[in-house]
Amino acid sequence: MVDEASIQNYCSPQSSIEGVDGDLIKIFFKDELPPIGAAVAIATPDKYRAESPHYALCKRHIGAQRIEAWLPMAPAWVEAGISATPTDIPAGFALPRGNSIALDPTLIKPLADGDVPLWPKVPDWSALSGGNQPLPIGIESLDAISPVCRGGLNLIIDTSADAQSSLRLTQEIREHLDPKSSLVSTSRTEDEISLDTEQHWRINPGSELPSQIASLHIAIAMAPVLRRSSPSLAVVELPSLQPPTSDAGPAQEPTAPQGLAEIIERLGQHLVSTTDAELTSILILRISQDLPGLGDIIDTLRLGDVDATLFIDHEGRYAPRQSSSRADLDEAATKRRTVHLQTLQLIEDAHQRAALLGEQELNNAEQLALQSVDLLRPKL
């Protein structure tokens, strides 16, 4: 039997944070829920009143009057019990006065004039531009076998020991595209991918996963801004995948960080060209050569819809066999591609023949093919 005094003293639950998991916050609202993409005000405790106001982004409704919100690099005081207030105003952020977009907990705010919406709409399917024009960058085998797709989504998979090869390749793409606006999100030094005007922005994702995930959200939000000036370029470095630690146990396999596949899928939906604007996108994925199950992990990241894949091997060389492109090739380019692929096959056959019988048994065609290795698999 319910005690009458308990009924009289009952207070309905107040809108507040119920749990925090990194940058994701579970919030209960006793009344109406905020719309997806709206700003949610987080009450600041008294001893932190000097800090700027904090807002989170409403990512999804999860049922039972609860939402999942996102707050980049959430402060330690954001915890269960802190009150929250919904708004009907979209979440956004202000473009910086300079080139650098800083990632911090005060980035999100209710959208104002001139701000960038943090949760933009996906471009309508009918507005997407068709076709994949090749972008020659002066590397013969790459231009012929797996050319960069101008206005498309291009993936660079770098398994070399450092990031120099993928950065040099990215710089070649940028120089040949000569974009009017660009966004570069990479933790590498600024002089490796140079920016020169106010229409070119930079994000430093840092070395920690939360800031790297935050940089991906910002890259998505910047896509409509980039499409205001055509042609434009987006260079986004994805969080690197590393082999499991030695104490992980033999049964464990490396997996992508939680939520990464979802954000990468959104990158593919937003970093696109439309009939009105050309946006060429470069995703850089650095993977240790020692990572087991490399192919399976790439598949789980839903990267199968990219227009071109450019693979860099552990020596920093372009790997044509692991690369591909959907670029529309004319008849002459198709013939060049066929010739190069035939030479690659001849090289592989020559290596097998030499291993069995010795190099003295190679015919003239095989010997000439082996001289083309550096041309077909150039050091980047």
Side-chain angles (χ1 to χ4, degrees):
M1 183 174 181
V2 179
D3 183 78
E4 184 175 346
S6 299
I7 296 176
Q8 292 176 348
N9 294 330
Y10 171 77
C11 294
S12 62
Q14 299 300 302
S15 299
S16 63
I17 295 174
E18 289 192 340
V20 179
D21 182 9
D23 291 350
L24 297 180
I25 305 172
K26 182 180 179 182
I27 306 176
F28 166 81
F29 290 107
K30 67 175 184 177
D31 298 316
E32 291 188 15
L33 301 180
I36 303 298
V40 176
I42 307 297
T44 307
D46 291 340
K47 63 179 179 179
Y48 298 104
R49 290 294 184 189
E51 294 188 13
S52 300
H54 287 72
Y55 292 89
L57 165 78
C58 177
K59 284 190 63 179
R60 59 170 60 89
H61 297 161
I62 57 178
Q65 289 296 114
R66 289 162 173 81
I67 71 164
E68 182 182 75
W70 175 71
L71 174 60
M73 285 78 72
W77 56 259
V78 176
E79 57 185 7
I82 296 291
S83 62
T85 305
T87 78
D88 292 329
I89 305 174
F93 64 95
L95 280 175
R97 293 183 180 274
N99 294 112
S100 180
I101 301 176
L103 301 174
D104 62 61
T106 62
L107 174 75
I108 301 176
K109 65 190 187 77
L111 191 69
D113 289 343
D115 288 348
V116 179
L118 194 51
W119 199 265
K121 294 182 179 179
V122 175
D124 188 76
W125 183 84
S126 61
L128 300 179
S129 64
N132 288 310
Q133 180 184 356
L135 175 68
I137 61 172
I139 301 176
E140 168 57 27
S141 58
L142 189 152
D143 289 342
I145 297 173
S146 59
V148 175
C149 288
R150 179 170 188 146
L153 185 65
N154 303 270
L155 171 66
I156 299 176
I157 299 178
D158 190 349
T159 64
S160 61
D162 55 38
Q164 299 307 310
S165 297
S166 52
L167 287 174
R168 282 193 290 266
L169 179 54
T170 300
Q171 189 69 357
E172 288 289 339
I173 294 171
R174 187 174 188 274
E175 290 176 358
H176 285 81
L177 181 66
D178 191 21
K180 294 181 179 178
S181 65
S182 64
L183 172 73
V184 175
S185 178
T186 172
S187 57
R188 312 306 157 191
T189 58
E190 294 193 6
D191 58 352
E192 288 175 311
I193 301 180
S194 58
L195 304 178
D196 43 22
T197 73
E198 62 181 13
Q199 288 296 104
H200 301 277
W201 297 276
R202 177 183 301 282
I203 304 171
N204 185 344
S207 58
E208 301 298 324
L209 184 60
S211 60
Q212 293 173 352
I213 294 295
S215 71
L216 302 184
H217 281 289
I218 301 304
I220 291 170
M222 286 293 292
V225 179
L226 294 173
R227 282 194 290 267
R228 296 174 190 169
S229 304
S230 179
S232 57
L233 173 69
V235 179
V236 179
E237 183 177 2
L238 303 174
S240 59
L241 304 180
Q242 299 295 333
T245 57
S246 57
D247 58 353
Q252 288 199 3
E253 293 183 358
T255 57
Q258 182 180 6
L260 181 59
E262 174 191 351
I263 295 178
I264 291 178
E265 184 176 31
R266 292 188 63 226
L267 283 169
Q269 294 172 337
H270 287 270
L271 297 182
V272 294
S273 296
T274 65
T275 53
D276 298 323
E278 177 189 288
L279 171 57
T280 301
S281 300
I282 309 294
L283 301 181
I284 301 176
L285 177 62
R286 296 192 63 218
I287 304 179
S288 170
Q289 183 68 20
D290 299 327
L291 193 69
L294 178 63
D296 292 339
I297 293 173
I298 293 174
D299 289 342
T300 63
L301 293 178
R302 303 173 191 169
L303 294 169
D305 290 333
V306 297
D307 298 302
T309 299
L310 312 175
F311 196 99
I312 300 173
D313 68 15
H314 66 284
E315 296 179 342
R317 293 181 177 274
Y318 164 65
R321 286 297 195 189
Q322 287 78 36
S323 303
S324 62
S325 175
R326 299 174 181 172
D328 298 326
L329 303 179
D330 58 23
E331 184 176 354
T334 301
K335 288 182 178 178
R336 283 173 53 220
R337 183 177 187 274
T338 300
V339 169
H340 285 316
L341 290 176
Q342 289 173 341
T343 304
L344 279 172
Q345 186 59 55
L346 194 57
I347 291 173
E348 293 177 8
D349 294 342
H351 281 305
Q352 293 179 7
R353 183 179 175 86
L356 290 173
L357 305 175
E359 293 186 2
Q360 70 278 1
E361 295 298 323
L362 299 181
N363 57 40
N364 289 337
E366 291 170 333
Q367 292 176 359
L368 289 174
L370 289 177
Q371 297 174 16
S372 303
V373 170
D374 289 338
L375 172 66
L376 296 179
R377 297 182 62 250
K379 185 86 170 177
L380 297 176

